[in-house]
C-alpha cells in the first residue's frame, strides 16, 4: 500500500534495532497479487488492505478498520469540516479517484454500488500526494481513510451519513510455523499498531 499503515515504519525500525543482522526486504504491490505470492513462498508476510478475513491457506489478523471520509478544498463558503455528506451529493462533485485495482478504489466502487449510485471520475491518479494536491487546489474532492486524511489537517474532512466505504488493513502470512525472524517482525507489527482489534479466528479451509 502507499503509506496507509502508520505503524509499519516504526515496527521495521524497532525490528532492525533488535535484529541488526537480519535483512528485511520490503516492496509495494497490488493487493490482489498478494495472496498467491504468499502461497508461492515469494513473500513471508504482507500488510494489505483486505476486506475478508478468510483466505485459503493463509492466516490473517486485523490491524485496523475505519470508515472513509470525503476530503475537500479549504475554500470560503464550503461546508465546514465535520459536516456530514451523502454519497449522492458526492456523486455530483468532481471526484479525484485512484486506479482500478487499488483497495481504496475497490471499496469506493462497492459503496456507490450499494447505494445504487453512479458517479463520474474526473481525475484518476496513482499516488496519494497528487490526489491531495488536486484537492488542495480546489479541482475536486477525494474519498480516503480517516487516518490518511488526518495527515493533511489543512483540508476539511466530511463523514458520510450512510454507506461509508470501509478501510480494513490486515497482516497476512502462510499458515503453520513461521521462521523465527518472520515471527519476531509479526509481533512488532502488532505491537506498534494502536488501533488493532480482536475478531474471530479465521475458519480453516
Amino acid at each position: 500500500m502507499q503509506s496507509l499503515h502508520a505503524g509499519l515504519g516504526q515496527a521495521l525500525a524497532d525490528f532492525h534495532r533488535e535484529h541488526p543482522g537480519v535483512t528485511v526486504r520490503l516492496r509495494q504491490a497490488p493487493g490482489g497479487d498478494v495472496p498467491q505470492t504468499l502461497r508461492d513462498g515469494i513473500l513471508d508476510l504482507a500488510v494489505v488492505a483486505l476486506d475478508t478475513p478468510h483466505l485459503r491457506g493463509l492466516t490473517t489478523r486485523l490491524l485496523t478498520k475505519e470508515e472513509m471520509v470525503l476530503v475537500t478544498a479549504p475554500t470560503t463558503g464550503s461546508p465546514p469540516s465535520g459536516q456530514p455528506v451523502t454519497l449522492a451529493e458526492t456523486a455530483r462533485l468532481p471526484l479525484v479517484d485512484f486506479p482500478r485495482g487499488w483497495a481504496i478504489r475497490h471499496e469506493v466502487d462497492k459503496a456507490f454500488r450499494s447505494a445504487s449510485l453512479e458517479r463520474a471520475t474526473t481525475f484518476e491518479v496513482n499516488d496519494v500526494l497528487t490526489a491531495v494536491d488536486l484537492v488542495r487546489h480546489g479541482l475536486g474532492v477525494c474519498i480516503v481513510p480517516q487516518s490518511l486524511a488526518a495527515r493533511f489537517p489543512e483540508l476539511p474532512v466530511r463523514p458520510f451519513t450512510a454507506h461509508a466505504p470501509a478501510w480494513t488493513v490486515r497482516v497476512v502470512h502462510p499458515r503453520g510455523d513461521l521462521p523465527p525472524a518472520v515471527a519476531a517482525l509479526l509481533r512488532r507489527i502488532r505491537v506498534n499498531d494502536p488501533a488493532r482489534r480482536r475478531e474471530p479466528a479465521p475458519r480453516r479451509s
Side-chain angles (χ1 to χ4, degrees):
M1 301 181 297
Q2 283 200 5
S3 53
L4 292 179
H5 179 63
L8 186 56
Q10 186 63 57
L12 290 170
D14 290 345
F15 179 86
H16 180 68
R17 282 192 295 270
E18 294 174 3
H19 307 283
V22 178
T23 298
V24 178
R25 294 183 175 89
L26 181 146
R27 67 183 177 94
Q28 293 175 322
D33 297 346
V34 168
Q36 192 56 49
T37 309
L38 287 163
R39 295 186 189 105
D40 292 342
I42 298 171
L43 294 180
D44 291 307
L45 60 85
V47 176
V48 63
L50 190 67
D51 61 356
T52 175
H54 309 304
L55 292 173
R56 177 179 56 83
L58 301 175
T59 295
T60 71
R61 292 194 179 100
L62 182 67
L63 292 179
T64 61
K65 187 169 186 177
E66 59 185 289
E67 290 187 348
M68 295 194 202
V69 294
L70 186 69
V71 177
T72 65
T75 56
T76 303
S78 297
S81 187
Q83 180 171 322
V85 64
T86 67
L87 280 180
E89 292 171 321
T90 303
R92 295 192 292 267
L93 299 173
L95 190 63
V96 181
D97 221 334
F98 299 102
R100 296 186 186 279
W102 273 48
I104 291 180
R105 176 66 178 266
H106 174 77
E107 294 303 320
V108 169
D109 286 347
K110 187 168 68 173
F112 276 95
R113 285 195 303 269
S114 297
S116 300
L117 291 169
E118 294 185 2
R119 77 186 196 282
T121 296
T122 305
F123 302 94
E124 186 174 284
V125 299
N126 66 356
D127 72 280
V128 171
L129 292 180
T130 297
V132 170
D133 198 43
L134 292 170
V135 172
R136 185 180 288 116
H137 284 86
L139 296 171
V141 299
C142 189
I143 301 173
V144 296
Q146 294 182 39
S147 56
L148 179 59
R151 301 187 190 186
F152 307 97
E154 76 279 11
L155 299 180
V157 171
R158 301 180 65 188
F160 290 101
T161 58
H163 300 289
W167 180 250
T168 306
V169 178
R170 302 177 192 275
V171 62
V172 187
H173 59 82
R175 287 183 182 158
D177 295 333
L178 296 174
V182 178
L185 178 56
L186 180 61
R187 287 192 297 271
R188 269 291 164 198
I189 292 174
R190 297 179 69 192
V191 165
N192 277 282
D193 182 68
R196 70 179 184 271
R197 304 182 185 184
R198 299 178 64 87
E199 66 177 359
R203 298 188 300 268
R204 296 190 174 276
S205 59

